[in-house]
C-alpha cells in the first residue's frame, strides 16, 4: 500500500462531522497495538523461571484484553530465542494477540546486529541500537493488522490506573486514553484520533514517555511512528511536540507509569543516539500534517512559548513566583529550570518537587558542574522544542500577565522579528545605595531599552527578560560565567541567522531586585565589562574609534612615569612630580566633567525621579566610580589578551541603529581629552617660550 493510497483511505474515514465521528468512534471497539522490546542482556542473574517473569511483566503492564502485542526479541538472545519462548509469551499474555518477532529485514542488519535494546554497557560494545527503525517496522505491521492506536512500552514499565467507572468496576487505563482522545477532538474541533496522549511517568514527571497515537498519526508519518532520521532517542517528545500547536498533546495524569530502568534521567540499556529534531525535522512534520489534512484541520491555535530559567541561587520562593505567572488560553508553556549549582542539593531537591506539583508544566534539569549562565541557558534551549523561548533570570519577578503581552506582540509583529525585548525595571528604593549611581552612570540604560524605544527595532536586550524565536543559535560560553556580553552576542547572532530585527515589547514587564541587597559594590560591573570587551573582536562592524578615555590615558601615563623613574635622562624632559600631578589632574577633570554633565550639563534632565541636590550629587559622584570600574574592565580584558590594537576602540551599543550616538561620544571624548592634556600643553608651551626667550637673549 502506497503512502498516497493510505492517506486517501484515511481522509475518506474523516468525512463525517466531529459529532458523528465521536459517536461512531465511541461505538467501535478500539484495538491497541503495543510494541514491546525485550532482552535478557544485562540481567544480573539468569532467569530460572521465565514463565513467572513474563507473567510479572504482564501484570505490571495491565494491557487491555483484545489488544495486539508485538514482542521484539534480540536476534541472538539466548533466553527469548528458545523454541518454548513464543509459547510462554502467549501464555503470559493470554488476553492479547501475541506476535513474537526476532527476524529483521536485511536493510536493518547493519544497525541491528545485536538487538532493539542492545545492552551496550553490559556487552562493552559501541554499536547503536536502532530502536526507532525497528519500532517503525512493527508499527507498520500493527497498522496492517488493523490496530487503531499504537504505543511502545518497556519490559521494565509498571502502569497503575486508580480511576474507577460509575458501576464500580475498575476500568483499564486504555479506556481513559480513548476518552482523552475524544476530549481533545471535542474541545478543539479536531478529527477523533488527531493528537497524542502520554501517560504520567512518575520516574520522569511531566516528560512524555511512551506516548499513544492513532492511525491518523501513523498514516501521516508514512505508516510509521516517527521519521527515519530517529535512531533510538527523542521520538517520544517529538510526537508530543508535533501536536502541541493544536492543543492536541495531552498528559494523562490519572494513569501513573513507572520506568524502573530507563527514563529521561535513568541509565539506559543501550547507547543513546540523539538527533537535532527540534528545528527542520519538527517543522517538516508539522507541515506534513497541515498539508495532508488541510480540509479537516483548523489552523494551529496555540502559541508555544517555553520559559527557560537558569539558576545558581536556587531560591525556591523566587522560582515559585515565576511559575505563578498566568498562562493564556492560547499559549502552551513549559517552564524549564536549569540548576547550575550542583552543591545546592537541599534546595535543588525542593525545586525538583515542582515537577510533580506542576506536572506537565515544569521540567527541572541539573548541570553536572557550575558552568555559568550561558551554558545553563543552552541546556534549557536544548530541552525546549517551542517556537519561542522566554529567558528569565532566577531573581526577577515578572508581571503576572507577561505571557499575555508577549503573545500579543507575537501575533502583531512575530512574522517580522526574531524576538522581543521586554522591560526590566528596578524597584525605587532610597535604601539601595547602588540605585542612583547605577542610574546616573547609564549602566541600566539597556535594561529599559524597550520603554525608551517602544514598538520599534532595538539592537539587543538583557536576558533577564528576553523572548527569542527558536533557532540553532546558542549562547557563547567564552563570556564570564556570571554574564557580560553574552546577551549582546546572542541577540546579534539570532538577528543574523533569521535576517530579522529584534523588537521592543515594553508591556512585557519584570522587576529585578537590586544586587547584593542594594549595597554599593563594583566587582559585578567590572566582571560584566570584561565580558563586554570580547565584543570588539567578535563584531568589528559595530565598533568605532575615539580619543583615549581616562583609564587608557592613565595606563599610558603610568608607563611614562615608570620610564621616568627608570631613566634619569627622561626626568630632564618631564620631571616626576609634574607627571604625577598631571595624572591627578586627568582624574579630577574626568570626575568634574561627569558631575557637570549630570548636575547642570546635558544629562541633568536624565532620571528626573532622582530629586534633591544632595541625592543627585552623591549619586553622580558614586556613578563616576561605577563608570571607571566598567571602563577599567574594558581596558583590562584587552591588556590581558594583548589586544593593544583595541585601545581607543569602542563598541556601539546601539549597533548602528543610532548613528548620532557614535558622533556624540566621539565629540565628548574630544572635549574631555582636551581637558586631560591641558597641563601637558601648558608645559610644552612654557618650554617653547623659555627656549625662544633664551635664543633671543643670545
Amino acid at each position: 500500500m502506497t503512502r498516497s493510497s493510505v492517506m486517501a483511505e484515511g481522509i475518506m474515514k474523516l468525512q463525517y462531522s466531529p459529532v458523528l465521528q465521536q459517536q461512531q468512534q465511541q461505538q467501535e471497539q478500539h484495538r491497541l497495538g503495543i510494541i514491546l522490546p525485550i532482552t535478557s542482556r544485562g540481567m544480573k542473574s539468569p532467569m530460572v523461571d521465565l514463565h513467572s517473569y513474563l507473567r510479572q511483566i504482564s501484570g505490571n503492564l495491565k494491557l487491555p484484553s483484545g489488544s495486539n502485542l508485538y514482542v521484539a526479541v534480540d536476534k541472538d538472545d539466548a533466553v527469548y530465542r528458545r523454541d518454548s519462548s513464543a509459547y510462554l509469551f502467549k501464555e503470559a499474555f493470554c488476553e492479547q494477540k501475541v506476535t513474537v518477532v526476532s527476524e529483521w529485514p536485511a536493510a536493518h542488519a547493519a544497525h541491528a546486529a545485536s538487538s532493539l535494546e542492545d545492552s551496550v554497557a553490559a556487552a562493552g560494545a559501541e554499536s547503536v541500537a536502532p530502536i526507532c527503525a525497528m519500532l517503525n517496522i512493527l508499527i507498520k505491521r500493527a497498522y496492517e493488522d488493523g490496530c487503531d492506536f499504537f504505543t511502545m512500552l518497556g519490559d521494565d514499565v509498571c502502569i497503575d490506573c486508580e480511576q474507577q467507572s460509575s458501576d464500580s468496576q475498575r476500568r483499564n487505563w486504555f479506556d481513559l486514553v480513548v476518552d482523552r482522545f475524544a476530549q481533545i477532538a471535542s474541545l478543539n474541533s479536531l478529527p477523533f484520533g488527531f493528537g497524542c496522549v502520554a501517560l504520567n511517568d512518575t520516574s520522569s514527571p511531566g516528560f512524555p514517555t511512551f506516548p499513544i497515537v492513532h492511525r491518523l498519526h501513523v498514516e501521516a508519518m508514512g505508516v510509521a511512528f516517527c521519521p527515519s532520521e530517529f535512531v533510538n532517542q527523542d521520538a517520544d517528545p517529538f510526537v508530543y511536540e508535533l501536536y502541541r500547536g493544536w492543543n492536541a498533546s495531552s498528559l494523562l495524569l490519572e494513569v501513573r507509569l513507572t520506568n524502573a530502568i530507563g527514563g529521561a534521567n535513568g541509565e539506559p540499556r543501550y547507547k543513546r543516539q540523539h538527533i537535532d529534531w527540534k528545528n527542520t525535522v519538527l517543522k517538516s512534520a508539522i507541515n506534513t500534517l497541515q498539508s495532508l489534512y488541510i480540509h479537516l484541520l483548523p489552523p494551529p491555535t496555540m502559541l508555544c512559548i517555553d520559559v527557560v530559567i537558569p539558576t545558581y541561587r536556587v531560591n525556591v520562593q523566587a522560582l515559585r513566583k515565576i511559575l505563578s505567572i498566568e498562562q493564556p488560553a492560547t499559549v502552551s508553556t513549559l517552564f524549564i529550570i536549569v540548576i547550575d549549582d550542583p552543591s545546592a542539593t537541599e534546595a535543588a531537591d525542593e525545586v525538583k518537587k515542582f515537577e510533580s506539583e506542576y506536572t506537565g508544566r515544569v521540567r527541572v534539569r541539573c548541570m553536572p558542574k557550575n558552568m555559568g549562565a550561558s551554558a545553563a541557558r543552552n541546556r534549557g534551549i536544548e530541552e525546549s522544542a517551542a517556537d519561542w523561548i522566554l529567558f528569565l533570570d532566577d531573581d526577577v519577578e515578572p508581571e503576572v500577565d507577561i505571557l499575555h503581552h508577549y503573545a500579543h506582540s507575537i501575533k502583531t509583529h512575530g512574522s517580522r522579528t526574531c524576538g522581543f525585548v521586554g522591560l526590566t525595571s528596578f524597584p525605587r528604593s532610597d535604601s539601595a545605595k547602588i540605585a542612583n549611581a547605577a542610574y546616573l552612570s547609564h549602566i541600566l540604560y539597556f535594561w529599559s531599552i524597550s520603554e525608551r524605544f517602544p514598538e520599534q527595532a532595538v539592537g539587543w536586550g538583557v536576558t533577564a527578560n528576553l523572548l527569542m524565536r527558536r533557532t540553532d543559535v546558542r549562547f557563547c560560553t567564552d563570556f564570564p560565567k556570571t554574564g557580560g556580553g553574552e546577551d549582546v552576542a546572542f541577540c546579534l547572532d539570532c538577528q543574523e541567522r533569521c535576517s530579522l530585527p529584534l523588537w521592543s515589547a515594553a508591556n512585557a514587564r519584570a522587576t529585578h531586585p537590586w544586587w547584593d541587597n542594594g549595597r554599593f559594590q563594583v566587582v559585578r560591573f567590572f566582571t560584566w565589562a570584561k565580558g563586554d570587551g570580547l565584543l570588539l573582536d567578535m563584531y568589528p562592524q559595530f565598533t568605532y574609534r575615539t580619543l583615549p578615555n581616562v583609564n587608557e590615558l592613565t595606563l599610558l601615563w603610568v608607563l611614562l612615569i615608570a620610564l621616568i623613574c627608570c631613566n634619569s635622562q627622561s626626568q630632564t624632559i618631564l620631571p616626576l612630580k609634574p607627571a604625577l600631578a598631571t595624572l591627578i589632574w586627568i582624574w579630577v577633570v574626568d570626575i568634574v566633567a561627569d558631575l557637570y554633565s549630570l548636575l547642570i550639563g546635558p544629562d541633568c534632565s536624565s532620571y528626573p525621579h532622582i530629586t534633591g541636590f544632595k541625592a543627585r550629587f552623591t549619586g553622580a559622584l558614586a556613578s563616576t566610580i561605577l563608570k571607571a570600574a566598567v571602563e577599567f574592565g574594558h581596558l583590562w580584558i584587552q591588556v590581558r589578551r594583548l589586544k593593544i590594537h583595541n585601545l581607543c576602540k569602542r563598541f556601539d551599543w546601539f549597533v548602528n541603529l543610532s548613528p548620532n550616538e557614535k558622533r556624540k561620544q566621539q565629540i565628548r571624548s574630544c572635549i574631555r581629552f582636551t581637558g586631560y592634556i591641558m597641563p601637558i600643553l601648558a608645559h610644552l608651551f612654557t618650554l617653547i617660550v623659555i627656549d625662544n626667550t633664551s635664543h633671543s637673549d643670545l
Side-chain angles (χ1 to χ4, degrees):
M1 183 179 294
T2 65
R3 178 168 179 170
S4 58
S5 62
V6 169
M7 291 311 308
E9 179 186 349
I11 291 175
M12 289 297 294
K13 292 179 181 179
L14 298 173
Q15 297 302 314
Y16 305 95
S17 68
V19 175
L20 291 176
Q21 280 190 60
Q22 186 172 343
Q23 292 176 351
Q24 178 189 13
Q25 296 291 344
Q26 289 175 346
Q27 294 172 359
E28 294 179 356
Q29 180 66 36
H30 301 288
R31 193 189 309 174
L32 175 64
I34 307 104
I35 313 303
L36 181 65
I38 194 167
T39 180
S40 62
R41 297 191 181 194
M43 296 297 178
K44 295 181 179 179
S45 58
M47 294 181 220
V48 178
D49 190 351
L50 182 59
H51 181 265
S52 298
Y53 180 72
L54 294 179
R55 292 289 295 175
Q56 178 184 343
I57 295 176
S58 176
N60 289 339
L61 294 179
K62 299 179 178 65
L63 301 181
S65 59
S67 58
N68 287 22
L69 176 64
Y70 300 86
V71 181
V73 177
D74 285 5
K75 186 177 181 180
D76 57 351
D77 194 292
V79 175
Y80 295 119
R81 286 275 292 172
R82 292 185 303 191
D83 295 338
S84 60
S85 297
Y87 172 75
L88 292 178
F89 275 114
K90 292 178 180 180
E91 262 205 347
F93 296 91
C94 57
E95 296 183 1
Q96 289 78 38
K97 180 182 178 182
V98 179
T99 302
V100 180
V101 180
S102 58
E103 299 297 333
W104 305 102
H108 300 279
H111 296 288
S114 298
S115 65
L116 271 167
E117 286 200 51
D118 190 1
S119 180
V120 175
E126 290 298 328
S127 59
V128 177
I131 291 182
C132 294
M134 300 306 177
L135 171 61
N136 284 340
I137 292 174
L138 296 183
I139 286 288
K140 183 176 185 294
R141 186 160 181 174
Y143 177 88
E144 293 171 346
D145 288 345
C147 293
D148 304 294
F149 291 89
F150 310 85
T151 190
M152 183 178 75
L153 298 174
D155 58 352
D156 58 338
V157 166
C158 181
I159 299 178
D160 183 31
C161 174
E162 294 185 351
Q163 184 167 329
Q164 296 181 353
S165 61
S166 58
D167 59 2
S168 299
Q169 292 182 354
R170 190 174 181 84
R171 304 179 67 192
N172 185 272
W173 58 266
F174 179 58
D175 297 329
L176 301 182
V177 171
V178 175
D179 290 348
R180 180 59 56 88
F181 271 101
Q183 293 172 11
I184 292 173
S186 176
L187 291 174
N188 302 287
S189 300
L190 294 168
F192 177 85
F194 183 87
C196 163
V197 174
L199 307 184
N200 181 16
D201 189 345
T202 58
S203 53
S204 304
F207 193 85
T209 55
F210 308 115
I212 299 104
V213 295
H214 187 259
R215 290 178 70 90
L216 297 181
H217 170 82
V218 173
E219 291 165 354
M221 294 296 107
V223 192
F225 183 82
C226 59
S228 59
E229 289 91 338
F230 291 86
V231 181
N232 59 29
Q233 289 293 297
D234 307 317
D236 293 350
F238 160 78
V239 171
Y240 194 82
E241 292 291 337
L242 182 60
Y243 297 97
R244 191 172 164 188
W246 285 275
N247 196 30
S249 298
S250 182
L251 193 65
L252 193 58
L253 300 181
E254 295 89 342
V255 180
R256 294 200 304 268
L257 178 149
T258 303
N259 196 355
I261 299 177
N265 300 316
E267 289 295 329
R269 289 181 286 180
Y270 53 87
K271 183 179 180 182
R272 287 174 170 170
Q273 184 72 36
H274 296 275
I275 68 166
D276 179 15
W277 60 270
K278 297 176 182 178
N279 295 298
T280 305
V281 176
L282 180 60
K283 292 177 182 177
S284 175
I286 292 174
N287 292 336
T288 298
L289 286 178
Q290 290 180 291
S291 62
L292 293 177
Y293 300 122
I294 188 170
H295 300 297
L296 303 171
L297 291 179
T301 58
M302 303 295 287
L303 281 175
C304 298
I305 305 176
D306 286 348
V307 182
V308 171
I309 313 158
T311 178
Y312 180 79
R313 303 171 186 86
V314 200
N315 186 324
V316 179
Q317 296 305 318
L319 293 173
R320 187 178 292 277
K321 285 184 178 180
I322 296 176
L323 299 181
S324 67
I325 61 179
E326 294 179 358
Q327 182 174 331
T330 57
V331 174
S332 173
T333 302
L334 174 66
F335 293 86
I336 303 169
I337 301 173
V338 183
I339 299 175
D340 194 37
D341 182 15
S343 64
T345 53
E346 185 174 346
D349 290 340
E350 290 296 316
V351 173
K352 288 178 182 177
K353 293 179 181 178
F354 289 158
E355 289 187 322
S356 300
E357 184 177 348
Y358 302 88
T359 304
R361 291 189 59 210
V362 177
R363 196 172 295 170
V364 180
R365 296 293 180 259
C366 296
M367 301 295 282
K369 60 181 180 180
N370 175 226
M371 301 176 68
S374 292
R377 291 190 183 98
N378 289 340
R379 179 68 177 87
I381 295 174
E382 295 297 333
E383 196 70 29
S384 168
D387 298 323
W388 299 87
I389 300 176
L390 173 58
F391 299 99
L392 293 176
D393 278 356
D394 63 342
D395 54 351
V396 301
E397 187 171 341
E399 298 288 337
V400 293
D401 59 354
I402 188 172
L403 286 178
H404 290 271
H405 291 295
Y406 272 129
H408 175 74
S409 295
I410 292 173
K411 292 176 182 177
T412 307
H413 305 290
S415 61
R416 50 195 176 95
T417 63
C418 72
F420 296 91
V421 179
L423 173 62
T424 308
S425 58
F426 289 79
R428 299 288 171 84
S429 174
D430 295 332
S431 61
K433 295 182 179 179
I434 194 67
N436 291 348
Y439 281 123
L440 294 175
S441 64
H442 299 292
I443 288 175
L444 303 180
Y445 187 90
F446 279 89
W447 290 73
S448 57
I449 193 67
S450 62
E451 188 175 45
R452 298 175 186 277
F453 300 92
E455 296 299 316
Q456 59 183 290
V458 293
W460 60 279
V462 295
T463 45
N465 178 15
L466 179 69
L467 178 75
M468 298 298 291
R469 183 188 297 274
R470 180 180 182 82
T471 65
D472 58 356
V473 175
R474 297 295 181 266
F475 285 89
C476 178
T477 55
D478 293 338
F479 294 93
K481 287 184 179 181
T482 53
E486 84 289 350
D487 42 10
V488 182
F490 183 73
C491 290
L492 294 179
D493 290 346
C494 286
Q495 292 178 73
E496 181 181 3
R497 183 59 52 87
C498 298
S499 298
L500 293 171
L502 193 61
W503 209 255
S504 63
N507 291 325
R509 300 171 180 265
T511 302
H512 194 293
W514 291 107
W515 300 280
D516 305 310
N517 295 320
R519 294 190 298 273
F520 185 84
Q521 295 187 6
V522 300
V523 175
R524 178 184 303 275
F525 304 102
F526 170 76
T527 305
W528 286 353
K530 290 194 299 181
D532 294 339
L534 300 177
L535 298 171
L536 296 178
D537 288 326
M538 296 176 67
Y539 305 97
Q541 68 273 30
F542 299 126
T543 62
Y544 61 98
R545 294 281 182 180
T546 68
L547 292 171
N549 60 28
V550 65
N551 283 274
E552 291 165 337
L553 202 55
T554 298
L555 174 63
L556 297 174
W557 209 251
V558 167
L559 294 176
L560 180 60
I561 291 174
L563 180 63
I564 292 174
C565 294
C566 297
N567 192 342
S568 59
Q569 186 176 358
S570 300
Q571 298 186 29
T572 60
I573 302 174
L574 182 64
L576 180 60
K577 288 184 179 180
L580 291 173
T582 302
L583 181 60
I584 296 173
W585 166 263
I586 291 172
W587 280 94
V588 170
V589 168
D590 192 70
I591 294 172
V592 170
D594 280 339
L595 294 177
Y596 169 80
S597 177
L598 293 171
L599 298 177
I600 58 178
D603 294 332
C604 64
S605 60
S606 61
Y607 303 104
H609 68 275
I610 305 177
T611 57
F613 179 80
K614 181 180 179 180
R616 198 163 183 90
F617 177 80
T618 55
L621 191 61
S623 74
T624 62
I625 301 175
L626 286 185
K627 184 174 70 68
V630 169
E631 291 180 350
F632 181 65
H634 293 158
L635 174 63
W636 172 251
I637 193 66
Q638 307 306 334
V639 172
R640 194 185 71 177
R641 297 167 63 237
L642 299 179
K643 300 286 185 178
I644 307 301
H645 61 279
N646 283 337
L647 297 183
C648 302
K649 184 185 287 188
R650 308 288 178 255
F651 187 80
D652 177 17
W653 301 108
F654 292 89
V655 293
N656 295 340
L657 294 178
S658 180
N660 290 334
E661 185 65 26
K662 289 191 290 187
R663 176 173 292 185
K664 184 171 72 173
Q665 295 301 327
Q666 288 172 331
I667 292 174
R668 285 191 175 186
S669 73
C670 288
I671 295 174
R672 292 204 182 199
F673 186 75
T674 302
Y676 297 153
I677 65 173
M678 283 297 294
I680 302 174
L681 295 176
H683 180 69
L684 293 176
F685 179 76
T686 302
L687 291 178
I688 293 172
V689 171
I690 293 174
D691 186 61
N692 290 337
T693 303
S694 300
H695 282 292
S696 49
D697 289 341
L698 291 175

